[in-house]
Amino acid sequence: MCGIFAYAGGKDAVSVLVDGLSSLEYRGYDSAGVFLPKSGAVKTVGAVDNLKKKLSQQPLEGTSGIAHLRWATHGEPTEINAHPHHDNNKEVWVVHNGIIENYKELREALKKHGCNFVSDTDTEVIAHLISYNLAKLNDFEKAVTKSLNELKGTYGLAVSWKKEPEKIIGARMGAPVVLGLGDGENFIASDTTPILRHTKNVIYLHDGEVAVITPSSHNIYNLNHDIINKQAEVIEWSAEQAQKSGYEHFMLKEIMEGPEVVRNTLRGRLIVDSGLAKLGGLESVKEKLKEIERIIIVGCGTAFYAGLIGEYMLEEYAGIPVEVEVGSEFRYRKPIINDKTILLAVSQSGETADTLEAIREAKRKGALTLGIVNTVGSTIARETDAGIYNHAGPEIGVASTKAFISQITALALFTLFLGRQRQMSLVTGKRIAEELLALPQKMEKVLSQKEAIKKIAEKYAGHKDFLYIGRKYNYPIAYEGALKLKEVSYAHAEGYGAGEMKHGPLAMIDENFPTMAISPQDSVYEKMASNIQEIKARKGPVIAIATEGDEEIKQLAQDVIYIPKALEMLTPVLTIIPLQLFAYYFAKARGCSIDRPRNLAKSVTVE
Ligand code: F6R
């Protein structure tokens, strides 16, 4: 997720663009840059403040231009990889949000035509491609449309050409683009946030639509260059509401982004017919991975719980022994490691000190280190030998929600990758790939019950203690569900393996101590049902997360939230959603500071 913003009007474009970027900062903060066709480009690493400083030393002039905030996907967050990107002659400049899947093929083909690539990004290929087509067609609009037809993947982009400085072309395929229609000025942006301070009249582009703006005109085309008539809408949101896509909190917005996040984590990584996972970030260690005999997964908090789910997946489907350890404990043991051991670090921020120290310790002992990391170019991403990026986009809410879902998805991809290097059959590989691709739609079904979940959360808002129980794949979900409730509402919540109830926690249960029972119809369903019976017998209220069609559970639980049927190992992606929503609405009902819970920080860089 990056932010794009473009302006064509009569005002000082630098002030408009930089001001707009500041309001888009929640979309990324790895690097920032602007290009004005009348005077050139300025780019920096880091967020908008750095760009402002640089622009005060290297001022740009002009009344139109394009700007970008980067959340890195391909290539480290360096100045050379910062957008806007340009062609050989520095005439065509592009800002882009999304992932171009065929960039390697295009890059090789364009190199043969004399294009010199300077960055590691997939975006640079777009600038060269447009320039190449412009040389043949000598028509800016047609050259952009032709180029868009040659791209595979996702984009929300804006293009500027030095020879037509007042004109900017925007386009959308799988990444949002909005036009803002002002008086003598027009805008293109990733969302309405930077536009709303100038105009409330907007047009949302659909996939396959191209917009051409000048200060006094706007036209929309399809990819065949046929004109499309679209009416403007009037937006009543404030800029702050727009940053959160109209949601009151980032936490809810990020929960609702789950299906999109899974699509982004999976994009271009599954070959369904062969039942294979294609993980570019592991290419360099692919042969070595065939020989490994043991995996140690390390993470903290939510990332640790994702690791526990990974343990079940990897042992069941890849047949490799796995241990999972919290980062803060790992190096105080005497871990037994050899060159057939992998240490796999899971981290959203890629900066968590405890996880990082575990990696360093494992490296010292000769382990191959891998990462499942969301933040490209972060310390963990740099210090591990290879890895898988989540592509979940920036997570702003302190409570991790969409990153957790992406971590489970990435662990499933890794399981498929290692499993197929070993004994996993083609049939099983295909099944996992198909089930992964079916997840986003199933997640949408769970999310559509958010109002019902809100009512349940409000009903229980007066309770002080909660127990979360689950088994097997949903045992770590009990811990993660309880953690979500604790951190955003400050209520007391404990996660337990359901089988452990009778070894102690059952003593706490009475009519004032509700239990969240994660009990989809899977291989441990009968055992879960018995555990729920034990709670019911002690008058404990039960909220069950169950599989659609399970009517029996209604005899045992006061409240039931249903999830669609899914492959057992992937059920955690569905069962966590009601628990995230429950924690959110519970905390909201109690008036808590949801996006910034007391005493917590998003990135924990101290041990
Ligand atoms: C909980 C939460 C934390 C993080 C933990 C690790 O909602 O966000 O428990 O999961 O601090 O952070 P990363 O994944 O950045 O290493």
Side-chain angles (χ1 to χ4, degrees):
M1 184 159 140
C2 300
I4 65 163
F5 187 38
Y7 175 69
K11 296 183 189 141
D12 168 35
V14 165
S15 332
V16 175
L17 291 171
V18 169
D19 193 38
L21 284 188
S22 305
S23 71
L24 278 174
E25 217 157 19
Y26 72 98
R27 298 185 71 90
Y29 33 77
D30 286 336
S31 63
V34 286
F35 168 72
L36 272 61
K38 291 243 169 93
S39 51
V42 169
K43 311 186 203 185
T44 55
V45 171
V48 185
D49 276 349
N50 294 0
L51 184 67
K52 280 187 196 157
K53 271 185 218 136
K54 199 159 174 188
L55 278 163
S56 66
Q57 289 147 11
Q58 296 175 33
L60 296 176
E61 275 179 24
T63 54
S64 68
I66 56 177
H68 189 268
L69 268 183
R70 180 160 185 250
W71 175 257
T73 56
H74 287 77
E76 303 280 295
T78 57
E79 197 169 308
I80 205 89
N81 287 335
H83 297 216
H85 288 287
H86 57 80
D87 63 340
N88 278 7
N89 303 326
K90 298 196 172 178
E91 289 193 341
V92 175
W93 291 73
V94 177
V95 288
H96 166 225
N97 168 30
I99 298 173
I100 302 303
E101 287 167 17
N102 60 337
Y103 83 101
K104 281 194 185 136
E105 296 92 295
L106 289 170
R107 195 175 162 119
E108 288 318 305
L110 287 161
K111 272 187 185 167
K112 290 190 186 126
H113 294 295
C115 296
N116 296 320
F117 284 80
V118 292
S119 76
D120 306 318
T121 65
D122 51 336
T123 303
E124 193 183 349
V125 87
I126 308 173
H128 286 288
L129 184 60
I130 294 171
S131 180
Y132 174 73
N133 284 323
L134 245 176
K136 288 202 284 188
L137 299 169
N138 202 24
D139 180 314
F140 185 26
E141 292 171 29
K142 288 192 179 140
V144 171
T145 314
K146 180 165 189 326
S147 306
L148 295 176
N149 279 297
E150 294 172 42
L151 300 178
K152 283 194 193 131
T154 53
Y155 53 78
L157 56 78
V159 193
S160 171
W161 186 32
K162 261 193 162 172
K163 293 194 177 156
E164 291 190 36
E166 299 228 301
K167 184 183 278 183
I168 292 164
I169 304 183
R172 173 189 163 133
M173 183 65 74
V177 176
V178 193
L179 298 195
L181 309 180
D183 189 8
E185 56 184 6
N186 288 311
F187 309 82
I188 296 173
S190 292
D191 63 42
T192 50
T193 333
I195 293 175
L196 285 175
R197 46 191 80 188
H198 303 279
T199 173
K200 297 214 174 287
N201 298 323
V202 304
I203 296 179
Y204 289 94
L205 289 196
H206 289 145
D207 283 352
E209 290 179 351
V210 183
V212 181
I213 60 163
T214 67
S216 56
S217 68
H218 72 274
N219 285 304
I220 300 171
Y221 301 92
N222 63 19
L223 287 175
N224 296 322
H225 209 60
D226 305 320
I227 201 129
I228 300 173
N229 287 316
K230 290 186 88 156
Q231 294 300 315
E233 297 173 37
V234 180
I235 296 290
E236 298 301 346
W237 287 348
S238 68
E240 213 219 91
Q241 279 172 314
Q243 277 188 332
K244 296 173 186 156
S245 307
Y247 293 109
E248 199 179 333
H249 296 97
F250 279 110
M251 182 178 176
L252 183 58
K253 173 179 179 261
E254 287 163 2
I255 296 170
M256 298 305 287
E257 276 172 10
E260 193 53 30
V261 163
V262 169
R263 285 189 190 104
N264 286 339
T265 306
L266 296 178
R267 196 177 311 283
R269 288 171 162 175
L270 285 172
I271 311 170
V272 180
D273 286 346
S274 326
L276 290 171
K278 196 174 93 191
L279 295 170
L282 299 184
E283 205 51 45
S284 60
V285 293
K286 201 171 165 180
E287 291 311 309
K288 187 131 203 252
L289 290 178
K290 288 184 180 156
E291 288 156 25
I292 57 120
E293 289 172 355
R294 186 163 150 255
I295 300 174
I296 303 173
I297 302 180
V298 172
C300 297
T302 293
F304 167 70
Y305 299 139
L308 286 177
I309 298 169
E311 176 181 28
Y312 281 83
M313 290 179 180
L314 286 158
E315 291 190 341
E316 181 166 0
Y317 286 98
I320 305 171
V322 180
E323 284 161 52
V324 193
E325 179 96 64
V326 285
S328 50
E329 283 301 318
F330 177 79
R331 69 199 180 109
Y332 299 109
R333 283 173 43 220
K334 195 176 163 220
I336 314 294
I337 288 173
N338 61 26
D339 62 357
K340 296 240 181 337
T341 309
I342 303 178
L343 181 122
L344 171 63
V346 183
S347 175
Q348 187 285 128
S349 62
E351 300 296 345
T352 302
D354 289 320
T355 309
L356 191 57
E357 288 308 324
I359 294 167
R360 290 176 179 158
E361 182 63 20
K363 266 194 158 175
R364 262 179 234 122
K365 295 194 155 74
L368 177 72
T369 58
L370 304 181
I372 291 182
V373 176
N374 192 32
T375 310
V376 175
S378 55
T379 313
I380 294 180
R382 281 187 275 112
E383 293 203 11
T384 42
D385 297 307
I388 305 168
Y389 279 124
N390 288 102
H391 299 320
E395 193 176 57
I396 309 289
V398 164
S400 187
T401 52
K402 64 175 183 174
F404 178 67
I405 280 172
S406 173
Q407 284 159 353
I408 307 172
T409 310
L411 283 159
L413 283 170
F414 187 51
T415 302
L416 181 58
F417 184 91
L418 291 184
R420 292 289 281 136
Q421 280 189 333
R422 292 170 169 74
Q423 301 300 323
M424 186 192 290
S425 69
L426 168 66
V427 174
T428 305
K430 272 173 93 167
R431 169 97 201 276
I432 293 176
E434 280 160 5
E435 288 271 353
L436 275 166
L437 289 173
L439 273 180
Q441 241 184 334
K442 294 181 186 179
M443 294 168 75
E444 273 152 18
K445 239 178 144 185
V446 185
L447 288 167
S448 71
Q449 300 170 64
K450 82 178 193 328
E451 288 307 314
I453 297 168
K454 180 177 178 214
K455 285 208 179 85
I456 299 174
E458 285 166 354
K459 177 174 152 188
Y460 288 89
H463 285 268
K464 289 203 287 295
D465 306 287
F466 285 84
L467 198 68
Y468 284 64
I469 57 168
R471 280 175 178 261
K472 203 175 169 185
Y473 283 104
N474 285 292
Y475 156 64
I477 292 298
Y479 283 92
E480 173 59 9
L483 176 63
K484 286 291 90 89
L485 193 73
K486 283 188 257 214
E487 63 181 333
V488 297
S489 77
Y490 322 138
H492 164 232
E494 288 192 48
Y496 256 95
E500 281 289 292
M501 288 295 293
K502 53 191 171 298
H503 300 291
L506 201 54
M508 297 190 291
I509 296 298
D510 62 19
E511 61 275 22
N512 296 315
F513 205 130
T515 297
M516 192 69 84
I518 306 136
S519 43
Q521 262 166 349
D522 56 13
S523 61
V524 288
Y525 177 74
E526 299 303 330
K527 293 263 183 294
M528 270 304 292
S530 311
N531 298 135
I532 300 174
Q533 286 279 14
E534 288 157 14
I535 293 164
K536 193 177 175 223
R538 272 109 192 143
K539 300 198 169 47
V542 175
I543 309 163
I545 315 293
T547 305
E548 279 171 358
D550 180 358
E551 293 299 319
E552 208 180 303
I553 198 104
K554 287 189 181 153
Q555 312 300 315
L556 302 176
Q558 269 75 1
D559 297 281
V560 183
I561 304 165
Y562 285 109
I563 60 153
K565 187 136 193 69
L567 183 67
E568 183 170 5
M569 82 169 203
L570 299 178
T571 54
V573 172
L574 302 176
T575 53
I576 192 59
I577 297 173
L579 304 185
Q580 292 174 343
L581 285 169
F582 181 87
Y584 172 77
Y585 285 119
F586 184 89
K588 189 162 179 253
R590 289 164 71 125
C592 299
S593 162
I594 294 179
D595 284 334
R596 287 202 186 87
R598 67 185 185 202
N599 310 338
L600 299 177
K602 184 73 189 155
S603 185
V604 188
T605 52
V606 288
E607 281 181 67

